[in-house]
Amino acid sequence: MLRASQILVRTFALALSAASLGACGQRGPLYLPTAPEAAQRATLPETLRPQRGDATPAPVAPPPAAR
């Protein structure tokens, strides 16, 4: 059976989790910016997987030397 301290800790953790999830995010409706200065910003996929400007492969580091 649960003791009063366990119930109190679980209730506090649940309330803290609910408050933190409810407090995140932007207020108001979401929108895509149309201002000219926003045209050159990276999109989410570009941020997660950046593309190199040139077609050359990235340099590969040599493997560590064996002893």
Side-chain angles (χ1 to χ4, degrees), residues 19-65:
S20 64
L21 286 175
C24 65
Q26 177 180 346
R27 295 184 68 151
L30 297 177
Y31 65 95
L32 291 173
T34 56
E37 57 271 4
Q40 297 300 319
R41 289 186 188 161
T43 61
L44 181 61
E46 292 171 346
T47 304
L48 296 175
R49 289 178 280 149
Q51 299 288 326
R52 290 181 51 113
D54 55 358
T56 59
V60 178

Side-chain angles (χ1 to χ4, degrees), residues 3 6 39 49:
R3 292 187 305 223
Q6 288 177 329
R49 289 178 280 149

Side-chain angles (χ1 to χ4, degrees), residues 9-20:
V9 167
R10 289 181 181 181
T11 303
F12 180 72
L14 181 62
L16 182 64
S17 298
S20 64

